[in-house]
Amino acid sequence: MSEEMWGQLVKSHRRSGCGDLAKLARAILEGKKRLHDIVGHAAGGLFARVNRSRIGRAFAYELATRIPLPVDAQLSAAARGPQAAGICICMMGNGNLTDCACLRDVLKTEGEARLKQLMKGALQDWQGLPERTGLAGG
């Protein structure tokens, strides 16, 4: 993210908080969940054609919804970006993280230990972004 973009983001959300960023992240994660549901329903339907057992369909659905999909990591990362940005904005804005919607969402789903890992990784990613994109020094 460019410094100009980051400045605009901070300025526009400093007073109002990170609610919009939290909603965006929740929508991405909900889309991921829906994708898993679709795969589960497809597997359950396919199993129903082969075996009409209700328990077999339920098992196929559950199994299929829990299998990692190729896009899972990308969708999770896409959701974690706005959350990490929202947490930083709230810290810079008023320092009162009890009102931070992004922090609440991450803590609810990931726990405190995971939050520390996510923030450390996000900061490392942001620091290395200019070199990886060829924008370093200019």
Side-chain angles (χ1 to χ4, degrees):
M1 180 178 302
S2 70
E3 287 185 39
E4 181 181 340
M5 176 68 140
W6 176 250
Q8 289 176 357
L9 186 64
V10 170
K11 186 177 178 180
S12 67
H13 288 87
R14 186 169 278 163
R15 289 190 200 114
S16 63
C18 65
D20 291 342
L21 293 169
K23 286 178 188 175
L24 172 62
R26 276 187 236 123
I28 294 168
L29 293 173
E30 181 59 32
K32 178 180 159 182
K33 183 180 179 297
R34 286 183 184 164
L35 185 58
H36 278 267
D37 281 343
I38 290 168
V39 170
H41 283 294
L46 183 61
F47 192 84
R49 291 179 185 261
V50 175
N51 181 341
R52 298 191 187 269
S53 164
R54 186 174 288 182
I55 191 75
R57 284 193 310 258
F59 181 78
Y61 170 82
E62 284 297 321
L63 180 63
T65 59
R66 295 169 194 264
I67 294 174
L69 299 175
V71 297
D72 280 352
Q74 291 89 344
L75 291 173
S76 293
R80 297 303 177 225
Q83 288 173 329
I87 292 167
C88 289
I89 287 169
C90 288
M91 286 174 55
M92 291 170 31
N94 62 12
N96 184 1
L97 291 178
T98 59
D99 295 331
C100 181
C102 291
L103 178 61
R104 280 193 310 270
D105 287 352
V106 171
L107 287 173
K108 206 181 303 180
T109 59
E110 301 293 338
E112 187 175 344
R114 181 72 174 125
L115 171 66
K116 289 177 184 177
Q117 288 177 327
L118 290 170
M119 292 305 294
K120 183 179 178 181
L123 290 173
Q124 288 172 346
D125 286 348
W126 288 342
Q127 289 172 346
L129 189 60
E131 289 82 22
R132 289 195 309 269
T133 60
L135 298 174

